[in-house]
Amino acid sequence: MEVTVNKVLDAKGLACPMPIVRTKKEMTTLEPGQVMEIQATDKGSTADLKAWADSTGNQYLGTVEEGNVLKHYLRKARSEEERTEAKHPDVVSLDDLLNMLEGNEKITVLDVREPAEYAFGHIPGSINIPLGELEHRFEELNNEENLHIICRTGTRSDFAAQQLTEKGFKNIKNVVPGMKDWTGPINKSH
């Protein structure tokens, strides 16, 4: 498969949210309709970039895997296709989440990080459905529960909160900033 690209972005070795941060910055240098190739090694970058493109109106064209490098292709939206990057409005801090868990409030914590990230440390009792699988596994979740969604930084959980809201879920909160700053109890299952 031969894809004509206007710009190549090297995001190899970077973890979430850096591939998206760099993509956002480089996307501003493209003309509408041009294509960028983002080279990444973070396995979660496929779901992250797809969700970011969906939330901004840019077009996710696909991903090609070459060895351990993922080559993602995005097309910059024309002005009539662009939209302001969406953000889920209901946000909860790590301290508030910890207080709810310690107070035995009836909440479900959904961790949308990749399985390897989850295995090296997660909130006890949390459910792991990676962002890239959420589209096909959302029915495993109870629409009536208070869902608190967490990832490493708050970026993937924001995309997940938007996806679930579009699917009709009502009680969704995005936990920010995410597991990188979590000081509460941790389960490790690696």
Side-chain angles (χ1 to χ4, degrees):
M1 177 178 82
E2 193 62 37
V3 178
T4 303
V5 297
N6 304 96
K7 182 168 217 122
V8 176
L9 171 63
D10 183 354
K12 296 187 290 283
L14 301 177
C16 177
M18 291 315 295
I20 292 175
V21 170
R22 294 261 176 94
T23 299
K24 284 181 192 179
K25 183 179 179 197
E26 291 301 317
M27 198 60 106
T28 63
T29 68
L30 290 180
E31 293 296 318
Q34 289 187 323
V35 175
M36 180 166 42
E37 175 184 294
I38 301 101
Q39 299 175 354
T41 48
D42 179 5
K43 295 293 182 203
S45 63
T46 304
D48 297 350
L49 288 166
K50 186 176 188 316
W52 176 78
D54 287 348
S55 80
T56 58
N58 292 299
Q59 185 180 3
Y60 169 80
L61 300 173
T63 298
V64 175
E65 201 167 336
E66 289 183 3
N68 68 341
V69 177
L70 299 164
K71 292 183 176 183
H72 308 290
Y73 297 93
L74 296 180
R75 181 188 147 274
K76 182 169 180 164
R78 299 197 185 282
S79 57
E80 61 272 13
E81 300 169 304
E82 275 185 39
R83 23 184 213 266
T84 305
E85 186 174 348
K87 289 280 185 198
H88 186 71
D90 295 324
V91 177
V92 167
S93 72
L94 291 171
D95 289 339
D96 289 344
L97 177 62
L98 184 57
N99 289 336
M100 284 182 254
L101 292 170
E102 288 175 343
N104 294 320
E105 286 191 39
K106 183 85 175 94
I107 62 170
T108 300
V109 177
L110 172 62
D111 191 321
V112 295
R113 295 175 300 153
E114 294 299 305
E117 294 173 283
Y118 183 80
F120 276 90
H122 57 271
I123 296 171
S126 63
I127 299 168
N128 180 227
I129 301 177
L131 177 62
E133 298 176 18
L134 192 58
E135 179 70 27
H136 305 290
R137 294 181 56 194
F138 74 92
E139 291 170 343
E140 296 175 25
L141 302 168
N142 182 341
N143 190 352
E144 302 302 314
E145 291 179 356
N146 288 317
L147 270 178
H148 287 65
I149 307 173
I150 196 163
C151 66
R152 192 176 84 82
T153 63
T155 302
R156 285 177 276 180
S157 55
D158 181 71
F159 294 142
Q162 292 176 55
Q163 272 185 22
L164 290 173
T165 300
E166 287 172 12
K167 301 264 185 228
F169 283 74
K170 304 265 185 273
N171 306 312
I172 303 288
K173 303 272 191 264
N174 180 24
V175 181
V176 291
M179 289 301 292
K180 71 177 182 62
D181 293 331
W182 176 251
T183 57
I186 293 276
N187 236 357
K188 292 185 178 184
S189 60
H190 60 275

